[in-house]
Amino acid sequence: MGKLIVQKFGGTSVADTDKIKNVAKAVLKEKSLGNDVVVVVSAMGHTTDYLIKMAHEISQTPSPREMDVLMSTGECVSIALLSMAIQAQGHKAFSMNASQIGIMTDGVHTKARITEIKTEKIRKKIEEGNIIVVAGFQGITEDGEITTLGRGGSDTSAVAIGAALKADRCDIYTDVDGVYTTDPRIVPNASKLKSVTYDEMLELASVGANVLHPRSVETAKTYELPMRVRSSFNTDDVGTLVQKNIDMELCKPVTGVAVDMSKVRIVICDVPDEPGVAAGVFSTLAKEHISVDTIIQSYAKLHNNTNDIAFTINKTDLAKAKELFPYFSKNITEDKIHVDENIANVSIVGAGMIDRPGVAATMFDTLAKLNVNIKMISTSEIKISCLVDADRANEALKALHKAFNLGCDIIATVKGDLPEI
Ligand code: ADP
Ligand code: ASP
Ligand code: MG
C-alpha cells in the first residue's frame, strides 16, 4: 500500500522557475512510487529577507501584525508556481494556504505556535488524486488573523502537517544533502551523519545548526514522526534520518558542533540581593514573548549585598527588550544595564557525552589553547555551550570540530533505495 509522505522544500530549492520545475520532478518521483504526497514550500530564494528589508525602509518598528501580513505573501507565490509546474507535467496539484487548510496558531505575531491543523479538506483533496502544495511558515488565528511561525518556520509547518495527517515520513529537502557534524559551509571537512536522534538534533538546531527549525524537531519527537534531511538537487541521496534511537555503542562522545551568532548578551550589574528582582526582570520579558537563553547570576558581593545577572536573548528581540529596561525593577537603573552584541555561542552536542568524564575539559582546553575567553557556560545532559567573542567563534568551532575528531576527508554520497523505517 502507498505511503503518505510530506516533502518540504526551502527557499534555495525554489529560488527561480527552473528550480521550481526541478522540485516538481522530485515531487513526481515520490508520487511515482505509489505514495500520496503533500508538499510544503518556503518563499522563493531571499524573498522573506527582501520583504523585511522593505518594511524597515518604511518604519523602524513595523507592527508585528503587518509584518505577518507582509511576510506570509512570499510562500503564497511559491505554492501557486509549484502547483502550476506539477500541472504542466500532466498531474493534479492543488495549492492551499494556511487559512484554506486551517493551520491554527496562537496570536503571537512573528513567532506564533501551531495549536491545531484541520485535516478534512487536505484529505478530501488527496482522495481526489491531487498532490497538495502547502504554504509553509504561515498560520491563522481563531479570529482570522494571519500569523507566521518565526524565521525558518516552514520546517515546523511540514512536520506539524505530517503529524496531523499521520504521515509515514517527513522529508526536508534543502541545499545540503543531510545533517553534518557542523555547518559544511564553515568547516568543509564536516562529515555527513547517517542518522541522528531527535534529542541531539533538537539541541543542535537550538544552538545554531539552522538546517532544521528547532520546533520542527520538537514536533517530530513528540509525534515520533521520522524525518529525513535530503538534497533538493540530488534526490538519489537518502540524506540523514532523524529518529528516536541510534546504536549508543557506536556513539562518539560528541555528535556535532554548532555556532549561533543570533544572540546578544544583557548584563545587569549590582542587582540588590533580595527576593523578587530576577522575577521582575524575566517576567517583564516573558510578557512580551521574549525568550531568554543562558542565565547566570553571580554570587552576592558582600560589600554592597548585590549580584550581577547576565542572560542572552535573540538579536531580533533587542529593540523591544530595550524599551522594557525601565520596567525591570524599581531597584534597577538603566545605567546598570549593559548590552554586548559582539558575542556568539559555540556548542558541542552528543548523547555519547552522558557519563563520559573529560568532555567539558577537552572543550575548555581547546578554547584555552586558542586564547579564546569564555564569557558564559551553559550545559544540558547532552550539550555544552560557551559564549565567546563573535569574531573568534568560527575559529573556535573549527578547533572543536577537530578536537572531537568529527572531520572526514571524503564526503560520501549515500545513494540507493530508502531504508525501511
Ligand atoms: P532552507 O532554505 O532549505 O530551509 P536553510 O538555509 O534553512 O535551508 O538550511 C540549510 C543550511 O543549513 C545549509 O546551507 C547549511 O549552511 C546550514 N547548516 C548549519 N548547520 C548545519 C549542519 N550541521 N548540517 C548541515 N547544514 C547545516
Ligand atoms: N520563508 C521563511 C523564512 O525565510 C520561512 C522558511 O524559509 O522556512 O524564514
Ligand atoms: Mg530552513
Side-chain angles (χ1 to χ4, degrees):
M1 210 183 84
K3 293 182 172 166
L4 175 60
I5 308 294
V6 176
Q7 297 181 309
K8 179 260 168 177
F9 293 87
T12 35
S13 311
V14 293
D16 56 39
T17 49
D18 281 337
K19 293 211 171 81
I20 289 177
K21 288 181 196 168
N22 190 47
V23 167
K25 281 190 200 142
V27 173
L28 292 172
K29 184 175 165 190
E30 192 65 66
K31 181 80 180 162
S32 71
L33 300 175
N35 297 326
D36 287 327
V37 186
V38 175
V39 197
V40 176
V41 277
S42 299
M44 293 171 72
H46 297 290
T47 302
T48 312
D49 294 333
Y50 176 64
L51 294 169
I52 294 171
K53 186 169 168 280
M54 283 198 296
H56 285 115
E57 279 165 14
I58 286 177
S59 164
Q60 287 291 313
T61 49
S63 116
R65 179 185 184 274
E66 301 311 329
M67 283 306 289
D68 277 349
V69 173
L70 178 71
M71 288 193 292
S72 64
T73 60
E75 274 66 15
C76 294
V77 174
S78 306
I79 56 171
L81 291 175
L82 180 58
S83 297
M84 290 173 199
I86 297 169
Q87 289 162 359
Q89 298 287 318
H91 291 264
K92 287 177 82 175
F94 191 83
S95 67
M96 298 179 86
N97 66 23
S99 68
Q100 288 168 317
I101 294 173
I103 301 180
M104 310 311 297
T105 70
D106 60 24
V108 184
H109 285 292
T110 76
K111 37 180 132 165
R113 282 184 168 262
I114 297 174
T115 51
E116 188 195 351
I117 296 185
K118 314 234 191 265
T119 54
E120 281 154 44
K121 197 166 171 196
I122 299 193
R123 285 197 192 284
K124 184 167 168 282
K125 289 290 164 193
I126 293 174
E127 276 159 25
E128 290 170 9
N130 289 288
I131 291 166
I132 314 300
V133 184
V134 177
F137 186 46
Q138 46 178 260
I140 190 99
T141 67
E142 290 293 345
D143 300 336
E145 290 293 307
I146 297 169
T147 54
T148 61
L149 308 181
R151 296 303 308 270
S154 297
D155 297 336
T156 298
S157 311
V159 174
I161 287 168
L165 291 171
K166 300 192 172 50
D168 293 278
R169 201 178 69 235
C170 180
D171 285 345
I172 307 286
Y173 286 86
T174 183
D175 58 357
V176 281
D177 57 7
V179 178
Y180 281 72
T181 46
T182 193
D183 189 338
R185 294 186 203 287
I186 304 176
V187 183
N189 80 332
S191 332
K192 189 161 99 184
L193 301 170
K194 216 172 129 203
S195 64
V196 59
T197 64
Y198 292 125
D199 287 333
E200 288 174 315
M201 194 63 236
L202 185 53
E203 290 280 17
L204 276 171
S206 307
V207 295
N210 55 14
V211 62
L212 288 176
H213 194 237
R215 274 158 46 203
S216 70
V217 187
E218 198 183 1
T219 309
K221 182 186 169 186
T222 305
Y223 293 91
E224 293 194 12
L225 177 67
M227 279 172 103
R228 275 190 181 277
V229 176
R230 309 181 65 179
S231 164
S232 296
F233 310 112
N234 178 7
T235 52
D236 288 336
D237 192 308
V238 297
T240 301
L241 178 63
V242 187
Q243 59 172 359
K244 203 171 167 190
N245 292 314
I246 53 173
D247 189 347
M248 295 296 291
E249 293 302 318
L250 294 179
C251 258
K252 289 181 174 182
V254 173
T255 305
V257 299
V259 63
D260 185 359
M261 302 275 194
S262 68
K263 306 285 179 204
V264 288
R265 177 168 73 146
I266 297 177
V267 183
I268 311 175
C269 299
D270 302 332
V271 179
D273 186 30
E274 59 189 40
V277 180
V281 172
F282 296 113
S283 60
T284 306
L285 293 165
K287 270 185 211 136
E288 291 298 327
H289 309 286
I290 296 177
S291 302
V292 174
D293 301 292
T294 318
I295 303 173
I296 289 185
Q297 177 174 307
S298 65
Y299 281 118
K301 284 172 255 172
L302 294 176
H303 66 282
N304 61 358
N305 206 27
T306 62
N307 293 312
D308 294 340
I309 298 180
F311 55 93
T312 57
I313 60 169
N314 285 327
K315 273 187 184 146
T316 48
D317 286 328
L318 182 59
K320 186 78 211 169
K322 281 183 174 168
E323 286 174 21
L324 300 174
F325 287 175
Y327 307 101
F328 277 175
S329 160
K330 62 177 178 358
N331 294 323
I332 299 174
T333 51
E334 282 190 59
D335 59 313
K336 299 285 183 196
I337 308 177
H338 306 280
V339 176
D340 184 358
E341 294 190 57
N342 178 37
I343 53 128
N345 226 3
V346 283
S347 306
I348 60 172
V349 172
M353 72 172 70
I354 299 172
D355 279 342
R356 275 198 215 178
V359 176
T362 305
M363 180 175 196
F364 303 150
D365 192 45
T366 307
L367 298 179
K369 281 189 182 127
L370 283 179
N371 203 22
V372 168
N373 187 37
I374 302 172
K375 296 180 165 195
M376 281 168 110
I377 299 169
S378 60
T379 61
S380 77
E381 207 178 20
I382 62 166
K383 176 207 75 177
I384 306 170
S385 296
C386 294
L387 199 77
V388 301
D389 280 338
D391 41 18
R392 304 294 310 277
N394 281 355
E395 204 185 329
L397 183 84
K398 286 176 190 159
L400 290 169
H401 193 262
K402 192 159 181 229
F404 288 101
N405 292 318
L406 297 175
C408 79
D409 296 328
I410 308 155
I411 296 176
T413 297
V414 188
K415 287 196 175 179
D417 294 333
L418 278 182
E420 281 296 317
I421 289 160

